[in-house]
Amino acid sequence: MPLAKPPGIEADAFKSAKWDELTQGRGFARSDAPQLSMLCEWYKVADAAMEELESFNGQTAYTSESGELRPFPQVATLKSASSEIRALSKQLGLT
């Protein structure tokens, strides 16, 4: 029997689809549900950051009022999400 989706995952189309993708054909324990939920959340964060970066026409930085070139905050968000995705995937034994 597949691992039941938590209500917060089931209520969100993106996270629900990611849950299905991650759990398909795998035998996770109920105790894995919190890590899987966090993994789905971080995938959604990463997806949102990538979509926002794409809306900047390929730019990843902007010039501040003081004239400094600064990366868009979405770059740091994507970096954090990627790190969390790797760590959670490793904890869950996903490749």
Side-chain angles (χ1 to χ4, degrees):
M1 183 167 100
L3 185 60
K5 288 181 199 176
I9 297 296
E10 195 163 11
D12 182 285
F14 182 94
K15 291 189 280 187
S16 181
K18 185 55 74 174
W19 179 281
D20 291 343
E21 177 186 330
L22 293 168
T23 59
Q24 183 177 12
R26 294 183 172 102
F28 289 108
R30 284 191 345 199
S31 60
D32 293 325
Q35 286 86 3
L36 281 164
S37 294
M38 286 189 294
L39 184 55
C40 292
E41 184 66 36
W42 280 111
Y43 269 113
K44 185 170 181 174
V45 168
D47 186 66
M50 287 188 294
E51 283 184 16
E52 289 175 17
L53 282 170
E54 287 173 11
S55 73
F56 301 142
N57 299 320
Q59 294 180 324
T60 57
Y62 66 97
T63 305
S64 69
E65 290 180 11
S66 63
E68 293 180 78
L69 190 61
R70 297 191 172 268
F72 286 118
Q74 292 83 349
V75 173
T77 299
L78 188 54
K79 184 176 177 182
S80 294
S82 177
S83 177
E84 293 296 331
I85 289 167
R86 277 192 306 277
L88 287 163
S89 294
K90 186 176 179 180
Q91 286 178 12
L92 291 164
L94 302 172
T95 56

